[in-house]
């Protein structure tokens, strides 16, 4: 069974940093791009970032470029999202998902990040 | 990267059909045949129900169908069931390995 499990979400102060993790199983991890998507409370979905199979090709939405960094470790079947200079508006459920060649198919259950003092 | 435009809400009685529109631009919906749709129940992760405009993943009922014309894609739910009450989001590939989501539509089964 294809599965993605996020972790690392917590309460963090404005201006702080946090690293989210996404552990994958049930498929050939190194053959797929992975995407991060977030959903603020009561709001819609927002695509954040994507990392290609080869670990070096990374893409970001304008609102997080320069603050967030996506990375992966194919040896550990994991993807990470390093989030710096966090703001209240970054409060959301963060999902990792498999990118199946131009569409997103399988999602994790999400991890909650709350930015508040 | 502006969100795709969806109506905030749609509704229908059991057995009826409901169609949700998703309007983008030539840089996303109109430029690629890579529109997908997701169903999201409260406090759950989104679930893929349509990909590549018209394709249904295994296990998704054929009551769900997709189409596209120009910069607008549509999702039709035929024969509405109580379990179809959920939020629905369209999503389009937007080039350079990026995606853009729709604003979301809450479907109510009356």
């Amino acid at each position: 069974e294809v599965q993605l499990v996020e972790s690392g979400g917590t309460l963090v102060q404005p201006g702080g940093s946090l690293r989210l993790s996404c552990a994958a199983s049930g498929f050939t991890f190194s053959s797929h791009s992975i995407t991060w998507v977030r959903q603020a409370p009561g709001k819609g979905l927002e695509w954040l970032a994507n990392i290609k199979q080869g670990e070096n090709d990374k893409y970001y939405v304008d609102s997080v470029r320069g603050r967030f960094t996506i990375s992966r470790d194919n040896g550990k079947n994991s993807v990470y999202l390093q989030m710096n200079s966090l703001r209240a508006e970054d409060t959301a459920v963060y999902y990792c998902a498999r990118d199946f060649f131009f569409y997103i198919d399988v999602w994790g259950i999400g991890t909650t990040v709350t930015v508040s003092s | 990267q502006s969100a795709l435009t969806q109506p905030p809400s749609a509704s229908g009685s059991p057995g009826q059909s409901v169609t949700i529109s998703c309007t983008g631009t030539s840089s996303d919906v109109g430029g690629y045949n890579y529109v997908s749709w997701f169903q999201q129940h409260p406090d759950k992760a989104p679930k893929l129900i349509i990909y590549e405009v018209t394709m249904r993943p295994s296990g998704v009922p054929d009551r769900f169908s997709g189409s596209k014309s120009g910069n607008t894609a549509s999702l039709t739910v035929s024969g509405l069931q109580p379990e179809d009450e959920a939020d629905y989001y369209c999503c389009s590939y937007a080039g350079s390995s990026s995606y853009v989501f729709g604003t979301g539509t809450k479907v109510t089964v009356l």
Side-chain angles (χ1 to χ4, degrees), chain A residues 52-99:
Chain A
K52 293 285 203 183
Q53 300 90 312
E55 303 184 18
N56 291 325
D57 292 332
K58 308 171 185 181
Y59 304 87
Y60 301 92
V61 71
D62 289 346
S63 60
V64 306
R65 186 178 292 113
R67 294 192 302 127
F68 290 10
T69 301
I70 190 171
S71 62
R72 67 188 292 163
D73 183 337
N74 286 339
K76 294 184 178 180
N77 283 8
S78 292
V79 172
Y80 309 98
L81 187 67
Q82 176 68 41
M83 304 187 295
N84 298 330
S85 303
L86 283 163
R87 309 162 179 164
E89 53 265 36
D90 295 318
T91 294
V93 176
Y94 285 73
Y95 297 98
C96 66
R98 187 174 72 170
D99 188 327

Side-chain angles (χ1 to χ4, degrees), chain A residues 39 52 59 99 102 107-108, chain B residues 1 38 40 45 89 96-97 99:
Chain A
Q39 186 170 34
K52 293 285 203 183
Y59 304 87
D99 188 327
F102 306 116
W107 298 61
Chain B
Q1 292 154 317
F38 298 92
Q40 187 180 33
Y89 293 91
S96 299
S97 296
Y99 295 90

Side-chain angles (χ1 to χ4, degrees), chain A residues 17-35:
Chain A
S17 297
L18 200 60
R19 187 200 199 203
L20 304 183
S21 299
C22 169
S25 60
F27 64 100
T28 305
F29 180 75
S30 59
S31 296
H32 289 273
S33 299
I34 301 292
T35 268

Side-chain angles (χ1 to χ4, degrees), chain B residues 31-98:
Chain B
Y32 305 94
N33 285 323
Y34 294 122
V35 176
S36 50
W37 289 88
F38 298 92
Q39 178 191 63
Q40 187 180 33
H41 288 109
D43 298 320
K44 297 291 187 183
K47 173 190 172 185
L48 179 68
I49 56 172
I50 294 287
Y51 66 97
E52 293 179 359
V53 179
T54 62
M55 303 300 289
R56 274 179 290 105
S58 174
V60 173
D62 60 6
R63 303 183 288 104
F64 294 93
S65 62
S67 63
K68 191 188 87 165
S69 177
N71 296 339
T72 299
S74 298
L75 172 73
T76 298
V77 186
S78 306
L80 269 173
Q81 302 286 319
E83 60 266 31
D84 298 334
E85 185 160 297
D87 293 328
Y88 291 83
Y89 293 91
C90 60
C91 178
S92 175
Y93 181 71
S96 299
S97 296
S98 70

